[in-house]
Amino acid sequence: MDLEAVRAEFDLRMRRDAPPDGPGSVVERVGDVVRQTGPDADSWNGVVWSGLDSATADAAIAGEVRHFTALNREFEWKLYAHDRPADLADRLVAAGFTPEPPETLMVAEVRSLPTEVRLPAGVELRPVTDAAGVALMTRAHEAAFGEDGSRIHQQVLNRLTDDPDSLAAVVAMAGDEPVCAARMEFCPGTGFASLWGGGTAPAWRGRGIYRALVAHRAGIAAARGVRLLQVDASDDSRPILQRLGFAALTTTTPHVYGLHG
C-alpha cells in the first residue's frame, strides 16, 4: 500500500470532499475550511479539513468560532499532524480550543484483513438493529470508557432510524452483560468505511474481543465492496491494529471549543 497516496486520497475523499456523517448534517466549504454542522447539539459539529496558511489561519479560526457559537454549539477542529500552517495547533489553543489526546490515523485494505471471528468462551456477538441494541451498546461503552454514553446513544439511534444501511453495529455479550461494542460507518462513493468503538470492559480485556470485532466488521466491509477501512486509533488499540495489517498514516488531535460564559 502506497501510504502517501492513501493519505492524499483520505484527505480528498474523507476530509475536503467529506460526506455528512449522519442524517440532517450539512457539510459545506467556507473559504479554505470544510465544516459539518449537525442538526442538533448531540450530532458531531466541527471542522474536518482546512487548507490554511499563516496569513489566513487566524481569521478562519475566528469565523468558525462565530459560526458555531451563534448556534450555541460546542465543536471540534479535527487537526491532523500534516495540516498547515505548522503552528495551527498553537493558534487553535490561543483562540480558546482545548486539545484532546492524540490518536493515530490507521488504514488497511479490506482484502488483506482477517475475517475469521474468534471469541472467548461464553461470549457471542449480537447485531444492533433497534433501540434495545443501542441501549446495550451504550452500556458497553460506559463500562469500557467510564464516561457518559448518552451522546453516542442518540447518534447511533438516529442513524439506525433514518439511514440504517449506513451503519453496521454489534455488541459482544457475556450472558446478559454487554462487554464490548463497535460500529462501522459507510461512506458511499469514497472507497472508505470508518471503524468506531471497540472499547472492552476491564474484566474482559486481553481475550481477543477487540480483534474479533475488527474481523467481524472486515467481513461485512468485504461483502459491501469497501476497499479501505479507517480507524482513529488510541494507544491501546494501535498495536492490535498493526498486527492485523493496519498502517499508520498520520496522527490526529481533536481540538474542542466549548461554550463560554
Side-chain angles (χ1 to χ4, degrees):
M1 185 165 56
D2 184 336
L3 297 184
E4 194 165 322
V6 172
R7 191 181 77 178
E9 184 177 0
F10 179 84
D11 278 348
L12 174 64
R13 301 201 178 274
M14 296 292 284
R15 300 185 65 205
R16 201 190 75 181
D17 296 339
D21 74 354
S25 294
V26 175
V27 174
E28 58 187 341
R29 180 166 179 170
V30 181
D32 290 318
V33 171
V34 174
R35 69 184 178 217
Q36 174 173 293
T37 305
D40 51 47
D42 286 326
S43 306
W44 189 85
N45 292 271
V47 172
V48 296
W49 177 87
S50 64
L52 304 171
D53 58 32
S54 58
T56 60
D58 291 337
I61 292 168
E64 295 310 303
V65 170
R66 286 194 301 271
H67 170 75
F68 285 106
T69 55
L71 297 172
N72 201 35
R73 304 275 178 86
E74 292 188 353
F75 74 103
E76 176 183 317
W77 192 296
K78 189 78 169 154
L79 180 68
Y80 291 78
H82 57 284
D83 288 345
R84 295 292 178 264
D87 64 350
L88 184 53
D90 294 335
R91 293 171 185 263
L92 290 168
V93 171
F97 288 77
T98 301
E100 295 191 337
E103 298 170 318
T104 303
L105 171 64
M106 305 190 77
V107 171
E109 293 179 314
V110 171
R111 65 184 181 183
S112 71
L113 293 174
T115 57
E116 182 182 0
V117 177
R118 297 179 179 178
L119 289 164
V123 176
E124 63 177 11
L125 299 186
R126 186 180 302 177
V128 174
T129 59
D130 55 20
V134 176
L136 290 173
M137 277 196 76
T138 305
R139 285 174 55 192
H141 175 88
E142 292 177 341
F145 298 106
E147 62 183 28
D148 178 67
S150 57
R151 176 171 287 190
I152 289 176
H153 180 279
Q154 195 60 51
Q155 288 175 349
V156 174
L157 188 60
N158 289 346
R159 197 151 185 162
L160 279 177
T161 301
D162 297 333
D163 192 10
D165 289 341
S166 70
L167 178 76
V170 64
V171 60
M173 301 293 297
D176 294 329
E177 189 65 24
V179 297
C180 186
R183 66 193 191 276
M184 176 166 54
E185 298 179 358
F186 299 100
C187 305
T190 68
F192 288 86
S194 299
L195 301 186
W196 301 95
T200 306
W204 287 88
R205 290 172 186 165
R207 304 193 198 186
I209 298 176
Y210 180 87
R211 290 194 301 274
L213 291 186
V214 173
H216 172 77
R217 288 174 288 173
I220 296 173
R224 292 275 294 261
V226 175
R227 185 167 63 88
L228 296 163
L229 285 182
Q230 170 257 321
V231 189
D232 290 345
S234 68
D235 289 342
D236 291 332
S237 59
R238 185 179 65 246
I240 302 172
L241 292 165
Q242 285 176 328
R243 290 194 292 271
L244 291 174
F246 283 78
L249 296 185
T250 185
T251 59
T252 177
T253 305
H255 283 66
V256 177
Y257 191 91
L259 299 176
H260 302 286

